[in-house]
Every structure is written in structure tokens, then in C-alpha cells.
Amino acid sequence: MVTTTWMWEARAAEGRLADLEAWALGAVRDQEAEIYLGREASAGLVVILLHVGGGGPEADTVGPPLPDPPVGLVTGTVHAWQFERADSRLDRSDRLG
């Protein structure tokens, strides 16, 4: 089974980092995920790596598997990207060029 990993990133609104962290924990409950909090220059950022089984072509048509955070919890735009694990044993030249 191919696993697609979503990287989700948002900056907490002023004074709301703990609230955004709590929301993130609830948003990924019962899913395979890692949550990271930014430090120093990245302070206020919350990054989630969410691993979703059954990737493949159909995953490209589906948005991030997380709900939007509540209004007022983040500042700016929430960003999300899809990734798949690189496997050095495979010839991936068809995807690089």
C-alpha cells in the first residue's frame, strides 16, 4: 500500500499557539501523524505530518484530510502539500524530468 504524507502548516494567531496545538491534536486523533511546534524564527508555527494510506493517483484529487481550523485561531494562510516517501531502490528518473 502506498502512503501519502501531507505536510500541513499554519501560524497561530497572537497568543493562540496552545489553542492551535490543542486543535491539531484533536484534528489528527486516531490517525498516523506527527505534530511539530516552531522554535526561534519559526515560533508560532504548527506543522503536522499526516500519513494517509492508499495514496496513488486518486489522492491527487482530494484536498488535505484535515478540517479548517476555527476562525481566529490562525493568522495568514494555511498551507498543505502532498509527499510520498522516496525509495532509493527505484528508478524515479521518469518523475524528475
Side-chain angles (χ1 to χ4, degrees), residues 46-72:
V46 173
V47 173
I48 300 172
L49 296 180
L50 181 61
H51 309 289
V52 181
E58 70 280 358
D60 293 336
T61 62
V62 178
L66 291 175
D68 290 333
V71 174

Side-chain angles (χ1 to χ4, degrees), residues 2 5 11-12 14-15 21-22 24 27 31 35 37 39 46 48-50 54-55 59 63 69-70 76 81 85 96:
V2 176
T5 297
R11 182 171 299 280
E14 184 71 32
E21 179 184 8
Q31 298 183 69
I35 299 174
L37 303 178
R39 296 177 55 185
V46 173
I48 300 172
L49 296 180
L50 181 61
W81 302 271
R85 184 177 301 273
L96 299 177

Side-chain angles (χ1 to χ4, degrees), residues 2-87:
V2 176
T3 298
T4 297
T5 297
W6 282 91
M7 179 180 161
W8 182 95
E9 174 188 285
R11 182 171 299 280
E14 184 71 32
R16 304 292 307 269
L17 180 59
D19 296 328
L20 183 56
E21 179 184 8
W23 173 86
L25 287 167
V28 300
R29 182 167 284 124
D30 300 325
Q31 298 183 69
E32 185 182 346
E34 304 162 51
I35 299 174
Y36 297 88
L37 303 178
R39 296 177 55 185
E40 298 176 9
S42 298
L45 282 179
V46 173
V47 173
I48 300 172
L49 296 180
L50 181 61
H51 309 289
V52 181
E58 70 280 358
D60 293 336
T61 62
V62 178
L66 291 175
D68 290 333
V71 174
L73 203 54
V74 300
T75 184
T77 305
V78 172
H79 301 282
W81 302 271
Q82 273 185 325
F83 296 89
E84 65 181 50
R85 184 177 301 273
D87 187 339

